[in-house]
Amino acid sequence: MEIGMQEYSGFPLDEALQYLQGRIHDSPDVFLVLGSGLSELAQGVESAVIIPFEDVPGFPSAGVEGHTGRLISGTMSGRRVLIQAGRFHFYEGHPGDVVVAPVRLAGALGAKMVILTNAAGGIAEDLEAGSILLLDDFLNLMFRNPLVGPVREGEDRFPDMSQPFDAPLRERALALAPELGIPLRRGVYAAVLGPSYETPAEVRFLEKIGAHAVGMSTVPEVIAARAQGLRVLAFSLITNRAAGMGAGTLDHQEVLEVGKAAGGKLGSLIQALLPEIPGQGA
Ligand code: HPA
C-alpha cells in the first residue's frame, strides 16, 4: 500500500474554484458545515443557489445517509452564507485534500469565518442525547492530518493550534444560548477515524485523556481552516451516549433521528449568532 497516496490525491482546487465562482457571485461571510441529520438548517437560506456535489469538479458525491451532498449559497440572518450539507469523511476512504476541499474553497471564495457542526457521542456525564456542546478544543485521534502533502498557497506548513476555536465568538455563543433557552456546554471533542463506533474500553480511555464527546469528523476541517487563518467555531449535537456510557447499542438511524429532533435548537443558536459575525465591508 502506498501510504502517501492515501493522504493526498491532488484535488483540482483551481478548477473547482473557477466553477464555483461562476455560480456564486458574492463572497460568503460565513462557511457553515452541517453534520449528520442537521441539513434542515439549510431551509432557512434566502435567495438560495443550490449546487449538488456532483456538479463540482473533483467532488465525490456524498455517500452516507443523512448527508445530503450539496452546497447552498445565499443569505441567512443578514449574512452571506455558503453552506455545505453533507461531508467527505476519512472513513469513506477519501484522501485528506478531498476531505478539506470544501473549506479550502470557502476560504478561496472569501469566507473569513467557519462554523462546523457534527453529530457526536456524549462521554461527559451531562452530555445526554439532545445536548449541544460548544467545542473549546479537540483531540485528533484520527492519526491523519489533511495538511499532509504539498503546502497550499496561503497556508502554513506548521500551523499553530494553540487556539483552534475563536474566543470572542465562543463567548458570544455562550452568552446568547441562555437567552434563547438553549443549554450550551463547552468541552473537548475527540475525533476518531471510524467508521465502527467505539468500544466501551475506548470510550473509558477517551474519558481519561480529557474528551467530553467523540465523533468522526470536524477536526480535519478545523485544521485546514486554521492553516488558512480562518476563524472557527464548532458545535457537536450529542445524538447518543458514547458506547458503554448508556444503555443499549449504537445505531446510525438513531443518530439521524436525534439529530433531526434536536437540530432545530442548534439551528436557532447559529441563526442568532450570524449577525455577530462581520459582514461585507466590515
Ligand atoms: N461515536 C462516534 N461518532 C459518533 C457517535 C459516537 O458515539 N455518535 C454520533 N457520531
Side-chain angles (χ1 to χ4, degrees), residues 56-246:
V56 183
F59 271 28
S61 50
V64 184
E65 197 188 342
H67 294 251
T68 327
R70 54 205 182 146
L71 297 174
I72 302 124
S73 161
T75 309
M76 206 180 205
S77 308
R79 290 291 172 270
R80 297 214 43 87
V81 291
L82 178 65
I83 296 184
Q84 178 191 346
R87 274 198 165 89
F88 307 126
H89 300 88
F90 271 123
Y91 65 68
E92 292 168 279
H94 297 308
D97 62 340
V98 170
V99 174
V100 300
V103 73
R104 282 186 169 141
L105 289 164
L109 287 166
K112 300 277 180 278
M113 172 82 214
V114 177
I115 302 180
L116 303 164
T117 66
N118 60 55
I123 297 175
E125 221 168 8
D126 55 350
L127 289 176
E128 299 287 343
S131 305
I132 300 174
L133 179 73
L134 173 69
L135 273 59
D136 273 339
D137 205 341
F138 67 72
L139 287 158
N140 183 5
L141 300 176
M142 292 179 152
F143 301 104
R144 282 160 198 235
N145 192 301
L147 306 182
V148 169
V151 187
R152 289 276 180 186
E153 197 185 317
E155 291 183 8
D156 290 344
R157 171 76 299 179
F158 302 109
D160 173 48
M161 285 294 145
S162 55
Q163 288 195 34
F165 301 105
D166 191 77
L169 274 162
R170 272 188 297 145
E171 290 310 317
R172 286 307 299 148
L174 289 165
L176 272 170
E179 289 173 25
L180 299 168
I182 298 171
L184 184 62
R185 192 205 192 282
R186 52 204 289 184
V188 176
Y189 173 89
V192 295
L193 180 61
S196 48
Y197 287 116
E198 302 68 43
T199 64
E202 286 166 345
V203 171
R204 288 195 299 273
F205 164 75
L206 293 175
E207 185 180 31
K208 278 214 168 72
I209 63 171
H212 300 112
V214 56
M216 305 173 192
S217 69
T218 304
V219 164
E221 290 108 311
V222 179
I223 292 172
R226 294 302 300 141
Q228 296 175 81
L230 306 181
R231 299 169 68 191
V232 184
L233 200 62
F235 298 95
S236 289
L237 180 62
I238 305 300
T239 50
N240 54 277
R241 294 287 296 151
M245 290 280 167

Side-chain angles (χ1 to χ4, degrees), residues 33-77:
V33 180
L34 304 179
S36 290
L38 290 163
S39 39
E40 277 176 30
L41 224 154
Q43 286 168 4
V45 179
E46 297 152 42
S47 317
V49 174
I50 296 172
I51 305 167
F53 282 177
E54 44 274 26
D55 290 359
V56 183
F59 271 28
S61 50
V64 184
E65 197 188 342
H67 294 251
T68 327
R70 54 205 182 146
L71 297 174
I72 302 124
S73 161
T75 309
M76 206 180 205
S77 308

